[in-house]
Amino acid sequence: MEPVVYLNGKWYPKNEAKISVFDHGLLYGDGVFEGIRVYQCLVFKLREHLDRLWESAHTILLKMPMTKKEMEEAIIETLRKNQFRDSYIRVVVTRGVGDLGLDPALCRRPTVFIITDKITLYPDSLYQKGLKIVTVPTVRNLPEAVNPSIKSLNYLNNILAKIEGKNAGCKEALLLNHQGYVAECTGDNIFMVKNQNGTQGVPLLLTPPVYLGALKGITRQAIIEIARDKKIAVEERILTRHDLFNADEVFLTGTAAEVIPVVNIDGRTIGAGKPGKVTGVLLKAFHALTRQDGVKYQIN
Ligand code: PXG
């Protein structure tokens, strides 16, 4: 059975779900999106993703053409129609179809589509061995320009960084902000663990504050909450590459990657050069959460 795609209130077979070349999402990258995971018929953090989508839309002055409840129903119905229990959901809202010209007033109504698909994940071996990443020359978008908190269809900043990372033989790339502080990776937030001397090696978990130029990741937030539950101290702190190089553990978080260890940054070995203990504890707890927390649906 060919999967169906939701487009503006209707469902179409994957190959027939088409939008106009005059859609401003395509012409100008004028729109917003979300990437959501489904685990065993549980849509993980759906409300949080919808809240973020609505916030992104509000900031770009795009009026959502439906309610959150209607969006939730459209997502669930798409999953049901496709009989997917585990999936990756991509929700996209563009400014809509309009004549050429930047003015959003040219577009009568937003285009909404929902793709449910399989997700390409990092291979298992990388979770065992850890990832090698590099800092790339492309800096993260200025918060005063297109704020990285907006999950917008303008991903060129991240794509350029991704290409530079790949050219250096890495699957993920680290972006600094315009001041040289650690921001995030192309599709993942970053964390470090520092075992503190004098406190029996109690670990401290650190991640940059989002105002430095990062997306407020939903996986990031889940990890912060899990860590607090486990009485692991967490702080949002300004971080430099030096801080990362001298961390005991580094890991990335994101909807696709979940929690993936990083063992080398710019040629420097991180900690023991293998995935760390705290990372393992957090990944395990995150997996458990994905299997118990979420909006549940049934397929016949
Ligand atoms: N930073 C950036 C720039 C991202 O794009 C994250 C961090 C992690 O956020 P979440 O909320 O996922 O924990 C992202 C997430 C895709 C895709 O289709 C992109 C993301 C997530 C899932 C799929 O490319 N970006």
Side-chain angles (χ1 to χ4, degrees), residues 52 88 90 151 155 158 184 186-187 189 215 217-219 254-255:
R52 187 170 68 186
Y88 169 62
R90 166 59 79 91
K151 209 161 159 59
Y155 251 53
N158 308 53
E184 61 175 340
T186 68
N189 290 108
L215 181 74
I218 285 159
T219 319
T255 293

Side-chain angles (χ1 to χ4, degrees), residues 91-148:
V91 182
V92 180
V93 184
T94 80
R95 192 74 67 179
V97 175
D99 285 342
L100 295 178
L102 296 183
D103 188 355
L106 294 163
C107 307
R108 269 192 38 245
R109 61 176 166 82
T111 301
V112 179
F113 59 89
I114 304 166
I115 301 169
T116 58
D117 208 346
K118 284 190 275 298
I119 184 162
T120 36
L121 300 169
Y122 290 125
D124 252 354
S125 60
L126 279 184
Y127 289 83
Q128 315 299 327
K129 286 195 316 217
L131 205 58
K132 177 182 116 187
I133 63 173
V134 281
T135 312
V136 291
T138 295
V139 300
R140 193 68 179 100
N141 277 338
L142 284 173
E144 297 80 7
V146 180
N147 194 310

Side-chain angles (χ1 to χ4, degrees), residues 38-258:
V38 183
Y39 299 89
Q40 291 291 299
C41 295
L42 285 172
V43 189
F44 187 64
K45 301 278 181 198
L46 178 57
R47 309 259 148 77
E48 287 80 354
H49 281 283
L50 294 184
D51 286 346
R52 187 170 68 186
L53 183 66
W54 256 252
E55 288 188 4
S56 294
H58 181 67
T59 294
I60 71 160
L61 292 108
L62 189 160
K63 191 171 170 345
M64 291 294 290
M66 62 210 289
T67 63
K68 286 183 193 172
K69 186 85 203 134
E70 286 165 342
M71 178 66 89
E72 183 176 322
E73 283 164 10
I75 290 170
I76 301 283
E77 191 53 28
T78 310
L79 289 163
R80 278 219 191 95
K81 282 184 189 294
N82 288 327
Q83 309 245 307
F84 286 156
R85 290 170 200 280
D86 291 273
S87 176
Y88 169 62
I89 306 165
R90 166 59 79 91
V91 182
V92 180
V93 184
T94 80
R95 192 74 67 179
V97 175
D99 285 342
L100 295 178
L102 296 183
D103 188 355
L106 294 163
C107 307
R108 269 192 38 245
R109 61 176 166 82
T111 301
V112 179
F113 59 89
I114 304 166
I115 301 169
T116 58
D117 208 346
K118 284 190 275 298
I119 184 162
T120 36
L121 300 169
Y122 290 125
D124 252 354
S125 60
L126 279 184
Y127 289 83
Q128 315 299 327
K129 286 195 316 217
L131 205 58
K132 177 182 116 187
I133 63 173
V134 281
T135 312
V136 291
T138 295
V139 300
R140 193 68 179 100
N141 277 338
L142 284 173
E144 297 80 7
V146 180
N147 194 310
S149 288
I150 306 167
K151 209 161 159 59
S152 89
L153 293 182
N154 282 268
Y155 251 53
L156 263 186
N157 183 233
N158 308 53
I159 291 164
L160 292 176
K162 180 95 183 175
I163 293 167
E164 290 161 354
K166 281 186 73 179
N167 285 346
C170 294
K171 293 194 191 316
E172 231 330 348
L174 177 66
L175 292 107
L176 306 179
N177 75 358
H178 63 291
Q179 301 158 308
Y181 296 123
V182 172
E184 61 175 340
C185 291
T186 68
D188 299 295
N189 290 108
I190 190 160
F191 283 84
M192 62 168 271
V193 177
K194 190 79 177 168
N195 299 328
Q196 304 168 96
N197 294 326
T199 53
Q200 286 96 40
V202 173
L204 174 62
L205 186 58
L206 299 170
T207 194
V210 288
Y211 64 77
L212 286 187
L215 181 74
K216 197 169 182 186
I218 285 159
T219 319
R220 172 187 184 274
Q221 190 57 35
I223 289 300
I224 290 174
E225 285 165 18
I226 289 170
R228 290 199 171 128
D229 269 4
K230 295 196 170 294
K231 308 279 180 251
I232 298 170
V234 196
E235 269 179 44
E236 293 180 89
R237 202 184 271 182
I238 293 174
L239 299 175
T240 62
R241 289 166 72 226
H242 175 77
D243 296 323
L244 294 182
F245 295 156
N246 294 288
D248 291 294
E249 301 177 29
V250 171
F251 61 85
L252 311 181
T253 64
T255 293
E258 300 177 331

